[in-house]
């Protein structure tokens, strides 16, 4: 495993960071508690020291599972990354920016983006309880909230840094313009954004800026929710309430199949899976600090961690980029 410094923060994160969205269950067709905890333990056993979650994942369940999984572990050797700013319980009293309707047990639940100072403080206290800890290593705004001035949110994060309740502050899903505005108030540690072989738009403007200003990039959805593993072109089945039934529709299946077919021999030459090859490629791209990889059981978690064992030569990287150019 490689460990990388996150921007100007004191944090060193594992290059493969455990992504805990799926173990929350909602939008992913449910979860199995013991399998989820086993996945976290297997990640740690294979050198993954960083765990990324959010209150919204499972409406608190993902954070609770991480808290339970870390009981008895050396807290100083694990970095907890969580978020704030998505409210689903009505505590925002209609304030904030309406986002979408989530579903739980067939019931629609309105979700709001809400990053006002008082909500930031409230959510951190709730997360600390669920995570069974007294500090958060990296606290990130989950989504931009147009109803709250960016400087107000950044000031709340500055206050939490001074109090020692968080060790570093970041954002998620911020555009270049948003990052530039936030940076006027706070030296951000990171921006967590979607990035994959199929989605490289951040290379054009965001990565040059974050590289120049020493802001880390946390890449999420590097496998496009499992699509780039190749198994969904085989016999894998999705439950009816799995959001990927709609998510995968944005991609051209024939082009994705062709890409994976071209990459398969390279993966086999490395004695690796397609998923491992994709994760390793992602970790080697300019400006990418760490790569999030979700896992719902111990085998998946161990496999993700082993992706960092793969070595890719310049010629092999050039070959991959030539194949990616065919997606255009």
């Amino acid at each position: 495993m490689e460990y990388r410094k996150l921007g100007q923060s004191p944090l060193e994160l594992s290059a493969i960071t455990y992504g805990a969205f799926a173990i929350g269950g909602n939008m992913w067709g449910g979860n199995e508690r013991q399998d989820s905890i086993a996945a976290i333990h297997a990640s740690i056993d294979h050198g993954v020291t960083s765990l990324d979650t959010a209150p919204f994942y499972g409406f608190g369940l993902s954070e609770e599972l991480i808290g339970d999984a870390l009981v008895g572990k050396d807290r100083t050797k694990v970095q907890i990354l969580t978020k704030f700013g998505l409210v689903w319980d009505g505590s925002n009293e209609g304030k904030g920016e309406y986002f979408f309707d989530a579903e739980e047990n067939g019931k629609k639940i309105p979700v709001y983006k809400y990053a006002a100072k008082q909500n930031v403080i409230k959510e951190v206290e709730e997360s600390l309880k669920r995570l069974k800890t007294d500090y958060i290593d990296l606290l990130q705004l989950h989504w931009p909230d147009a109803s709250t001035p960016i400087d107000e949110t950044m000031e709340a994060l500055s206050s939490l840094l001074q109090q020692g309740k968080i060790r570093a502050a970041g954002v998620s899903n911020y555009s270049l313009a948003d990052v530039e505005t936030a940076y006027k108030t706070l030296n951000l540690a990171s921006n967590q954004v979607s990035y994959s072989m199929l989605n490289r738009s951040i290379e054009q403007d965001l990565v040059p800026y974050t590289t120049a200003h020493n802001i880390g990039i946390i890449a999420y959805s590097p496998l496009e929710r499992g699509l780039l593993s190749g198994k969904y072109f085989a016999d894998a089945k999705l439950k009816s309430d799995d959001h990927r039934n709609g998510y995968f529709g944005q991609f051209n299946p024939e082009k994705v199949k062709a890409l994976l077919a071209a990459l398969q021999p390279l993966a086999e030459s490395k004695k690796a899976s397609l998923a491992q090859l994709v994760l390793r490629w992602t970790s080697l791209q300019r400006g990418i600090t760490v790569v999030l990889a979700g896992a719902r059981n111990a085998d998946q978690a161990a496999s993700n961690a082993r992706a960092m064992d793969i070595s890719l030569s310049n010629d092999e990287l050039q070959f991959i980029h030539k194949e990616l150019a065919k997606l255009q």
Side-chain angles (χ1 to χ4, degrees):
M1 183 58 62
E2 293 179 13
Y3 301 93
R4 300 174 177 176
K5 194 169 187 298
L6 187 67
Q8 302 174 53
S9 80
L11 303 182
E12 279 203 357
L13 308 183
S14 50
I16 297 294
T17 290
Y18 181 78
F21 185 8
I23 64 171
N26 65 321
M27 299 175 64
W28 291 86
N31 84 317
E32 295 293 336
R33 179 180 180 82
Q34 293 306 314
D35 285 347
S36 298
I37 290 178
I40 296 167
H41 288 166
S43 295
I44 294 172
D45 290 344
H46 285 80
V48 172
T49 61
S50 313
L51 312 173
D52 181 85
T53 183
F56 175 70
Y57 301 162
F59 303 124
L61 178 59
S62 177
E63 286 188 328
E64 290 173 0
L65 288 168
I66 287 177
D68 290 345
L70 294 183
V71 171
K73 300 287 185 181
D74 186 343
R75 176 68 178 85
T76 64
K77 294 183 178 180
V78 178
Q79 301 86 45
I80 296 177
L81 289 52
T82 194
K83 308 179 187 76
F84 68 92
L86 290 187
V87 179
W88 68 88
D89 60 1
S91 62
N92 58 317
E93 299 178 336
K95 299 175 184 177
E97 179 185 1
Y98 171 76
F99 194 12
F100 70 103
D101 283 341
E103 286 194 16
E104 185 177 38
N105 300 321
K107 179 183 178 182
K108 287 188 176 181
I109 302 174
V111 178
Y112 287 80
K113 303 175 185 176
Y114 188 43
K117 183 175 181 178
Q118 67 268 25
N119 186 62
V120 181
I121 305 304
K122 170 183 173 292
E123 285 201 51
V124 165
E125 294 302 324
E126 293 170 346
S127 288
L128 289 171
K129 290 179 181 177
R130 286 190 289 258
L131 291 163
K132 296 182 174 65
T133 187
D134 57 2
Y135 70 92
I136 292 164
D137 293 278
L138 176 68
L139 182 67
Q140 308 156 92
L141 171 61
H142 204 151
W143 282 90
D145 166 25
S147 73
T148 303
I150 288 177
D151 60 353
E152 177 182 338
T153 305
M154 296 304 110
E155 288 167 4
L157 290 171
S158 294
S159 177
L160 290 165
L161 283 165
Q162 292 169 7
Q163 295 172 37
K165 292 193 174 181
I166 65 175
R167 295 181 62 205
V171 291
S172 181
N173 298 300
Y174 254 32
S175 67
L176 173 58
D178 289 335
V179 171
E180 290 176 325
T181 300
Y183 200 72
K184 294 175 183 177
T185 305
L186 181 67
N187 289 340
L188 296 172
S190 59
N191 186 12
Q192 182 176 144
V193 289
S194 177
Y195 179 74
S196 75
M197 287 181 169
L198 307 180
N199 175 19
R200 298 167 58 195
S201 61
I202 66 168
E203 295 176 357
Q204 302 304 312
D205 58 0
L206 186 61
V207 167
Y209 182 89
T210 56
T211 301
H213 291 79
N214 194 15
I215 299 171
I217 289 286
I218 299 174
Y220 75 78
S221 293
L223 293 172
E224 290 298 358
R225 318 291 168 97
L227 184 65
L228 289 174
S229 70
K231 67 181 182 180
Y232 293 102
F233 292 117
D235 57 356
K237 304 296 182 182
L238 296 173
K239 293 183 179 179
S240 61
D241 58 346
D242 192 312
H243 77 289
R244 290 174 293 178
N245 286 300
Y247 183 86
F248 289 161
Q250 68 185 290
F251 304 110
N252 182 317
E254 295 308 314
K255 286 188 175 182
V256 176
K257 284 182 185 178
L259 171 65
L260 297 179
L263 296 183
Q264 184 68 52
L266 177 58
E268 290 176 354
S269 74
K270 304 292 180 180
K271 297 182 179 179
S273 67
L274 277 169
Q276 289 172 321
L277 178 64
V278 171
L279 289 174
R280 185 55 171 145
W281 174 88
T282 309
S283 77
L284 292 170
Q285 300 313 295
R286 180 184 178 221
I288 303 301
T289 309
V290 300
V291 180
L292 297 188
R296 303 183 73 171
N297 58 54
D299 288 344
Q300 290 175 358
S303 178
N304 290 342
R306 287 195 294 267
M308 292 303 296
D309 295 337
I310 299 172
S311 176
L312 292 172
S313 68
N314 286 333
D315 286 345
E316 289 165 337
L317 288 170
Q318 288 179 9
F319 163 74
I320 293 173
H321 280 277
K322 286 180 181 178
E323 293 303 319
L324 293 180
K326 297 176 183 178
L327 294 172
Q328 306 302 317

